[in-house]
Amino acid sequence: MTVSRLASLAVAAALCAGSTPAAAQTVVKIGAALSMTGPAAAYGAQQKAGILAAVEEVNKSGLLKGMKLEAVIEDDASTKEQGLAVFQRFINKEKVVAIIGPTLSNTAYATDPLAQAAGVPVVAVSNTAPKGITDIGEWVWRVSLTEGQVIPGALKAAQAKLGFKSAAVLYGNDDAFTQGGYTVMKAALEAMGVQVVGTQTFAKPDRDYSAQLTALLGQKPDILVVSALVENASGIVAQARQLGWQGPILGGNGFNSPKLIGNAGAAAEGVLVGTAWNKVSTDTANLGYLALMKARGHEPDQFCTQAYVGVQVVAEAIRLTGKGTREGVKAGLLKVKGLPTPLGKFSFQPSRDGDHAPAVQLVKDGKFQIMQ
Amino acid sequence: MEWLLEEYATYQSTVAYIGLNGLLALSVYTTLSCGQLALGNAGFAAIGAYAAALLTMNAHAPFAVALLAAAALPALVAVPLGLPVLRLKGIFLAIATIGFGEVVRIGLVNWEYVNGAQGLVAIPQKASVGLIWILLGVALLLLWRLRGSKWGFALEAIRQDEPAARTLGIDTTRYKLAMLMVGAALAGLAGGLEAHFTFMVAPNGFAFTRVVDMLVFAVVGGVAAVWGPILGAAFLTLLPEVLREVSPHLGIEPGPLRLLVNGLILLAVILFLPQGLVSLPRWWQERRGARRPA
Amino acid sequence: MLQQVINGVFLGSIYALFALGYTLVFGVLDILNLAHAAVFMLASFAALALVGHGVHILAAFPLAVLAAGLIGVLLERVAFRPLRARADSNISGLISSLAMATIFEALALLAWGPNVSRFPFGTIPDTQFRLGGAVISRLQLTIIGVAVALFLALSWLVTRTRLGREVRAVAESPRAARVLGVDVDRVIAWSFLISSALGGAAGVLYSLAFNAIQPDMGRGVELKGLAVIILGGMGSMPGAVVAGFALGLTEVFVVANLGASWRDAVSFAGLFLILLLRPRGLFGAAALREA
């Protein structure tokens, strides 16, 4: 072969390689209605991080052939007024194929019926109210485990290890999440035959719990059970220790945040957390997720992880049916089974609520660890 | 045509909320028009909302009855509240009524029958955008007629100088109480309508910040004209949606941006346009007039 | 029991400090400064930022308090002074302060985000002391001490200095004060400086105590502050102090005996009764303020 022929072949080959047309990609939009301002802003921020990470991962992995996910994130200001506006925007203007959120259960009660009526799948990633979410209809799905799925197991495991007979309970009564958690705790303790020696409440803006704690701990319970979100939880734990309480403390999903240890410090040692996300699981999916978030410079909490899984689940649904449409997502969600996620192997229950193994964690040496 | 329908569907809840916020703004305006800063309206709205929701869900009452109760019950509550509290002046009245609103909220949070903080859910959607606006129109008409009548004269007199009005023989307590009751009824009605539009009510929706919003609607719109508060409500309800469109181009988080813009608008209005947006045409005229040679 | 008393005194000292600033401005200008809680918050972030840059808390505290004072002066200049001539200045002042509070909160959100932050561990050494059967920490003692020191300093300022006399004169009647040669504008600016400095001090102490700094942290105290100044008497500084401690202790005992659900209801019901039965509070002046 002459040099010139070789050269023209080389050029031709180069041209072919360089000019391979990229497969036309359809953009599939997922809306995320998150609380970026208002009382739930801290959770919304975590959720946003999880969602953006998941969308990027899905697109990079080429999981959805010919389709590219795009997340449209809007602020609902922790109010139903803006939640409704955001949902309507997603449904009618952005024409999303699925909606993730909203952050608060109370907002969801108002907004999800809209999606249900319009035939748009909603995947709740932080609504833990026991009733009234998936009940809304067949387009409403849920990734976040309710406190009812998490707390009883955690309490039983704690009792097996610690053998407590009496408990004092402290919960936030002005927030649907923590109030719901309390209902579950109360029922579980009763079912276990544990005597509740005292019950106290606090309000979300409170930062001083010394009065409640002094009253409760004065009853000499074997364990302190708390239903609180992290900004209250860290204060409660710190103040309980400061008042001299050496006994065990058990909390629900709200405790599962790096901020608990960050804000309470040494006081958080020994705290038990009944939680949906086992941060220290050595599951490949979880390890991969943690590495990813670390590379992105973000320390994830449970809200972040559940939002991440929400996107994963929607992506999986699209992959299963091959259709990036609303019906396609809904049909796909029905088929999701044993999906490997940072939360564990995830499936949906017939009620469209989430199903995966919860965990009981223990704070040891300044880190969350799985309770043995 | 399809574009229009799409736009309507997108903004339907916003339009509904302009109507609801308009009613709430009017409810604060009623007492402001006679110079009283009564800020218990979040409490009245809560009473109306819960009463209406309980009636439709538990007593299976017809919606009209529920709405009537939503307006009537807060008005009745306004009487034992108003009689002692309207004697207080200025800031003290404001604080007492704020206290009332908080007590209502805390009561609801602690009341197991209504599920405390979780609230009432799955309320049937019986209020439509149309109904909300019709009722808003009716309220506006009634208040406008009131304003132009002998009542209006008395209210203005009380607002300008209450002791003087009393010496003129005006029974100031009666008028102030009446306006408090009207305001309570409007707030309750708005609450009942909202409950049946958004499928749920919860105590957190009636916190102190809510009545502050109502006051801001009324002040930004302006209380010189009856439709001023509605203008303020419309402007401030639309603002987040406008900012939502605009903020990606500005590169600022829409949430804090919205807060910042709200604060700046309120500041600008109170400093430079104290009569509110309704006075904008007049203000503009005066500025132009000032430029014309004498 | 003793523990609850300690809890109440500690909580009360923070309420009292916060309320002092509130009541000072009301006494002088007849205005409720709703931006006070925002200054409370900004001072906390300022202190946090300073400590984060390696400044020792002993220096960061006065610097943050000074910053708060200066914000107060800015607040007065921008939001209150232009409105002073107006007839409805107390309503418009209220709204104007509300606008500033919203702006401050938005700026804090933009700068620091919504998450809750705390001072680094060891900012204040964490030792406990036992007293009878109760526990009190060094931090709590420090806070109570600082609060008391500030009360005494303020009281000295108001009764023994010329500025203090001028503040009292303006509070009584700005017109008369002006006639007597007092520079009313300057006195009002100083009042705001002191008031906001006190609010800022309350903020830093609160954040040290509870390790929860967030842009909306003022919400928890702003309504409580209102209850305190009503109980103590609008414009009365000793009233604010006494009422602050009274509220702190009452809250603690209500929680211990009735449960926290009733705590705020009791505060507001109490507020109500005071307003109806004795609107001037414990120590407030009975006479209407002169123009």
Side-chain angles (χ1 to χ4, degrees):
Chain A
M1 209 180 282
T2 60
V3 172
S4 59
R5 224 151 168 241
L6 203 56
S8 21
L9 268 175
V11 170
L15 278 172
C16 280
S19 66
T20 312
Q25 288 210 309
T26 39
V27 171
V28 173
K29 286 194 197 169
I30 303 184
L34 307 175
S35 299
M36 306 300 291
T37 52
Y43 321 125
Q46 281 280 353
Q47 291 177 315
K48 179 175 172 180
I51 290 171
L52 290 176
V55 166
E56 203 177 286
E57 272 308 283
V58 167
N59 286 339
K60 251 195 342 218
S61 72
L63 180 77
L64 304 175
K65 310 231 182 309
M67 290 187 268
K68 187 165 118 97
L69 281 185
E70 183 185 308
V72 184
I73 300 186
E74 294 282 0
D75 176 21
D76 71 6
S78 314
T79 64
K80 58 183 179 177
E81 178 180 329
Q82 294 206 28
L84 286 168
V86 168
F87 261 61
Q88 288 189 317
R89 204 185 155 79
F90 284 162
I91 294 170
N92 297 297
K93 205 170 187 125
E94 300 279 357
K95 304 223 197 296
V96 301
V97 306
I99 300 179
I100 301 214
T103 307
L104 292 171
S105 298
N106 274 357
T107 309
Y109 293 142
T111 57
D112 291 1
L114 247 57
Q116 169 68 23
V120 177
V122 177
V123 178
V125 295
S126 52
N127 303 148
T128 53
K131 281 202 282 272
I133 300 289
T134 44
D135 300 341
I136 293 174
E138 51 179 15
W139 292 88
V140 182
W141 302 73
R142 170 158 47 183
V143 156
S144 39
L145 296 184
T146 64
E147 294 281 57
Q149 292 169 280
V150 167
I151 299 280
L155 279 170
K156 282 210 195 74
Q159 192 180 54
K161 179 170 157 131
L162 302 166
F164 50 84
K165 295 204 187 42
S166 65
V169 183
L170 177 62
Y171 72 99
N173 80 335
D174 66 338
D175 179 270
F177 175 86
T178 52
Q179 191 201 20
Y182 164 67
T183 324
V184 169
M185 284 172 182
K186 181 169 162 204
L189 287 168
E190 215 172 276
M192 285 160 64
V194 174
Q195 189 205 6
V196 175
V197 297
T199 307
Q200 282 279 357
T201 63
F202 62 86
K204 236 181 350 195
D206 289 355
R207 294 290 175 261
D208 180 56
Y209 319 97
S210 51
Q212 291 94 321
L213 288 168
T214 306
L216 284 175
L217 302 174
Q219 303 294 332
K220 309 236 184 302
D222 291 331
I223 184 172
L224 177 65
V225 179
V226 181
S227 178
L229 290 160
V230 75
E231 54 253 23
N232 303 107
S234 44
I236 290 171
V237 166
Q239 287 174 25
R241 294 291 179 231
Q242 201 212 327
L243 284 167
W245 171 248
Q246 314 277 25
I249 303 178
L250 185 141
N253 278 310
F255 275 57
N256 192 6
S257 159
K259 287 253 166 221
L260 175 71
I261 302 174
N263 284 358
E269 282 297 303
V271 168
L272 294 164
V273 183
T275 174
W277 178 43
N278 178 10
K279 187 171 182 176
V280 294
S281 155
T282 49
D283 200 66
T284 6
N286 191 42
L287 291 175
Y289 166 70
L290 288 172
L292 170 70
M293 294 315 281
K294 187 156 181 195
R296 289 173 77 95
H298 180 88
E299 196 177 355
D301 71 354
Q302 185 165 300
F303 286 94
C304 178
T305 312
Q306 287 172 323
Y308 181 92
V309 172
V311 172
Q312 264 192 313
V313 162
V314 171
E316 175 70 1
I318 296 177
R319 186 190 73 84
L320 284 169
T321 56
K323 294 208 205 84
T325 61
R326 294 169 178 179
E327 285 73 19
V329 170
K330 177 173 169 234
L333 288 171
L334 274 162
K335 300 209 197 121
V336 170
K337 254 213 160 17
L339 175 69
T341 71
L343 294 172
K345 299 241 183 301
F346 182 88
S347 311
F348 282 110
Q349 295 180 7
S351 63
R352 295 179 308 285
D353 288 307
D355 190 13
H356 67 85
V360 184
Q361 296 187 325
L362 173 71
V363 177
K364 193 153 177 285
D365 302 327
K367 283 203 278 284
F368 282 110
Q369 315 222 5
I370 199 70
M371 187 179 87
Q372 303 305 342
Chain B
M1 188 54 196
E2 198 184 288
W3 173 83
L4 214 66
L5 283 173
E6 182 186 289
E7 287 294 307
Y8 178 68
T10 307
Y11 293 107
Q12 194 187 33
S13 73
T14 308
V15 173
Y17 262 97
I18 294 176
L20 290 170
N21 287 338
L23 277 169
L24 291 169
L26 281 179
S27 78
V28 170
Y29 160 81
T30 56
T31 41
L32 276 179
S33 70
C34 57
Q36 308 302 302
L37 186 60
L39 297 179
N41 296 31
F44 293 133
I47 295 173
Y50 272 82
L54 287 171
L55 279 172
T56 47
M57 294 209 297
N58 294 5
H60 305 288
F63 188 46
V65 171
L67 278 186
L68 215 64
L73 193 55
L76 287 173
V77 170
V79 178
L81 173 69
L83 283 171
V85 146
L86 286 168
R87 285 189 279 127
L88 300 170
K89 301 191 189 358
I91 290 298
F92 295 98
L93 173 64
I95 295 176
T97 45
I98 291 172
F100 164 74
E102 278 296 286
V103 167
V104 170
R105 184 187 65 82
I106 293 170
L108 288 168
V109 164
N110 285 301
W111 195 13
E112 272 182 51
Y113 180 64
V114 294
N115 294 330
Q118 299 188 59
L120 300 170
V121 304
I123 302 176
Q125 187 181 50
K126 301 209 182 198
S128 64
V129 180
L131 179 64
I132 293 172
W133 277 84
I134 290 172
L135 289 173
L136 176 66
V138 169
L140 186 60
L141 199 66
L142 283 173
L143 285 176
W144 182 68
R145 294 291 302 276
L146 200 73
R147 178 87 171 202
S149 72
K150 199 177 65 157
W151 269 79
F153 167 76
L155 293 173
E156 183 63 21
I158 298 173
R159 190 184 77 83
Q160 300 267 19
D161 189 338
E162 194 176 328
R166 229 177 284 131
T167 60
L168 280 174
I170 298 176
D171 183 350
T172 57
T173 309
R174 185 163 74 102
Y175 282 97
K176 291 195 296 187
L177 186 62
M179 291 321 270
L180 187 69
M181 289 173 70
V182 171
L186 287 173
L189 183 66
L193 286 167
E194 190 191 22
H196 290 86
F197 183 75
T198 62
F199 311 98
M200 62 83 71
V201 276
N204 285 340
F206 301 104
F208 173 54
T209 45
R210 196 88 196 268
V211 72
V212 166
D213 286 345
M214 295 182 215
L215 179 64
V216 171
F217 296 150
V219 166
V220 167
V223 295
V226 186
W227 52 277
I230 302 179
L231 181 63
F235 183 70
L236 290 169
T237 307
L238 280 171
L239 193 61
E241 302 314 311
V242 169
L243 287 175
R244 231 187 271 284
E245 296 271 358
V246 164
S247 64
H249 306 291
L250 291 176
I252 308 182
E253 287 286 329
L257 177 66
R258 187 194 72 245
L259 268 181
L260 189 62
V261 171
N262 271 356
L264 287 169
I265 288 179
L266 187 59
L267 190 66
V269 165
I270 203 75
L271 288 179
F272 305 119
L273 204 62
Q275 305 299 328
L277 291 173
V278 284
S279 66
L280 210 50
R282 198 186 345 135
W283 177 81
W284 185 243
Q285 291 280 41
E286 280 170 11
R287 285 206 66 193
R288 291 178 68 212
R291 301 247 170 105
R292 253 188 273 127
Chain C
M1 167 73 180
L2 178 62
Q3 183 67 64
Q4 295 289 30
V5 171
I6 291 177
N7 296 339
V9 166
F10 175 62
L11 195 60
S13 62
I14 297 188
Y15 285 164
L17 204 55
F18 182 78
L20 263 181
Y22 239 163
T23 212
L24 179 59
V25 163
F26 189 83
V28 171
L29 271 185
D30 245 353
I31 286 179
L32 200 57
N33 172 18
L34 288 182
H36 196 58
V39 174
F40 171 88
M41 175 269 295
L42 286 175
S44 310
F45 274 110
L48 181 68
L50 286 169
V51 170
H53 277 94
V55 178
H56 193 277
I57 186 68
L58 284 176
F61 177 76
L63 284 172
V65 168
L66 181 65
L70 293 173
I71 295 175
V73 173
L74 174 74
L75 190 63
E76 193 270 323
R77 202 65 191 70
V78 169
F80 292 99
R81 188 174 295 194
L83 302 175
R84 232 184 285 151
R86 295 202 204 156
D88 67 341
S89 67
N90 48 8
I91 292 187
S92 51
L94 182 102
I95 293 179
S96 171
S97 67
L98 187 66
M100 292 305 289
T102 311
I103 293 172
F104 287 151
E105 193 178 323
L107 291 174
L109 262 177
L110 284 168
W112 290 291
N115 290 303
V116 60
S117 316
R118 62 158 290 154
F119 284 99
F121 288 96
T123 301
I124 294 229
D126 189 23
T127 35
Q128 323 274 33
F129 302 104
R130 300 214 140 253
L131 215 71
V135 169
I136 186 165
S137 73
R138 173 186 295 219
L139 177 61
Q140 286 174 310
L141 281 170
T142 311
I143 288 175
I144 297 177
V146 171
V148 169
L150 285 170
F151 303 149
L152 292 172
L154 184 70
S155 146
W156 170 82
L157 185 79
V158 166
T159 49
R160 294 224 190 281
T161 63
R162 193 178 125 193
L163 176 64
R165 275 202 300 280
E166 291 179 338
V167 167
R168 277 182 291 144
V170 171
E172 189 71 41
S173 162
R175 202 177 289 173
R178 192 169 285 134
V179 162
L180 288 170
V182 171
D183 181 347
V184 174
D185 284 350
R186 200 184 63 107
V187 167
I188 291 180
W190 269 103
S191 307
F192 264 87
L193 188 136
I194 297 170
S195 155
S196 299
L198 288 169
V204 180
L205 293 177
Y206 180 96
S207 356
L208 282 168
F210 303 122
N211 280 307
I213 308 171
Q214 282 175 293
D216 65 353
M217 65 188 272
R219 209 144 288 159
V221 279
E222 85 189 326
L223 292 178
K224 302 272 171 72
L226 222 51
V228 170
I229 59 176
I230 294 286
L231 175 61
M234 295 279 237
S236 159
M237 286 183 260
V241 174
V242 170
F245 282 108
L247 186 69
L249 284 163
T250 314
E251 282 200 348
V252 160
F253 280 100
V254 166
V255 167
N257 296 307
L258 288 178
S261 321
W262 295 109
R263 178 197 59 205
D264 290 346
V266 166
S267 301
F268 286 115
L271 177 73
F272 232 73
L273 283 172
I274 301 269
L275 282 171
L276 295 182
L277 301 175
R278 196 187 154 101
R280 57 185 159 107
L282 293 172
F283 297 95
L288 276 173
R289 192 169 171 275
E290 306 283 340

